[in-house]
Structure formats: C-alpha cells, structure tokens
C-alpha cells in the first residue's frame, strides 16, 4: 500500500468519541477517514463557516470535523459523531 500524503491524528476528545461508536459504525467510517488522509480537500469536504479552520466530511448520518495542518502534513480529527449530536456546542 502506498504511503498516504497526510498523517491522520485524533484529538483526545475525537478519539474518545470514535471509540464510543458501535463497531459497525467505526468500520463504516474508516474508509472515509482513509480518504481524508489521501485527499482532505475532496468534493465531499466542506469548510465550516462558523469555525475558523474546521472542515466537515459527511459519511451517511455521521460527521467528521477536522483541521488540515499543511506544515506537518497532518489531518487532525477534532470531532466525530452522529449529525444530530455533533453540531451541539
């Protein structure tokens, strides 16, 4: 397998959120996370206007919020969850 252009990292909060999801949802989200590492600016990604540097990836009823850190070539996942919960502050 070729090396991915970006390294995928989770914030502590996002890691807890991801681990709390049912295993079948984790398996469903994994290809979406891999795609982010390959191309974080694909057509499936939207910049969130209410947050300064956050982007959103839709995966069915789930959302992945992340930052792109170009200098380090890192995708930092900051929130993962169901769409009815992830937008709550």
């Amino acid at each position: 397998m070729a090396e991915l252009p970006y390294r995928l990292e989770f914030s502590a909060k996002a890691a807890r959120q991801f681990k709390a999801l049912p295993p079948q949802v984790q398996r469903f989200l994994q290809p979406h996370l891999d795609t982010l590492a390959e191309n974080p600016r694909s057509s499936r990604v939207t910049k969130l206007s209410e947050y300064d540097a956050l982007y959103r990836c839709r995966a069915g009823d789930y959302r992945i919020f992340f930052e792109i850190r170009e200098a380090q070539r890192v995708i930092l996942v900051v929130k993962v969850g169901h769409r009815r919960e992830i937008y709550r502050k």
Side-chain angles (χ1 to χ4, degrees):
M1 185 161 125
E3 184 175 276
L4 300 175
Y6 289 84
R7 191 172 70 247
L8 194 63
E9 293 182 1
F10 285 79
S11 69
K13 179 180 180 179
R16 284 191 308 271
Q17 290 171 333
F18 187 76
K19 289 177 185 174
L21 295 171
Q24 68 269 24
V25 174
Q26 291 179 21
R27 286 191 300 274
F28 170 73
L29 291 176
Q30 193 58 54
H32 297 279
L33 292 166
D34 294 341
T35 300
L36 286 179
E38 293 168 11
N39 181 10
R41 291 186 177 88
S42 73
S43 60
R44 300 177 47 105
V45 170
T46 305
K47 183 159 182 357
L48 295 175
S49 58
E50 61 268 19
Y51 299 98
D52 196 27
L54 282 183
Y55 295 82
R56 177 198 73 205
C57 176
R58 292 176 53 193
D61 286 340
Y62 290 85
R63 304 293 183 263
I64 303 166
F65 286 7
F66 63 96
E67 294 177 7
I68 301 172
R69 297 187 173 174
E70 282 295 341
Q72 298 91 7
R73 303 286 293 168
V74 167
I75 301 300
L76 178 65
V77 177
V78 294
K79 281 178 103 175
V80 179
H82 193 278
R83 63 186 175 93
R84 73 173 165 253
E85 300 162 354
I86 198 163
Y87 294 102
R88 295 180 186 157
K89 294 196 179 201

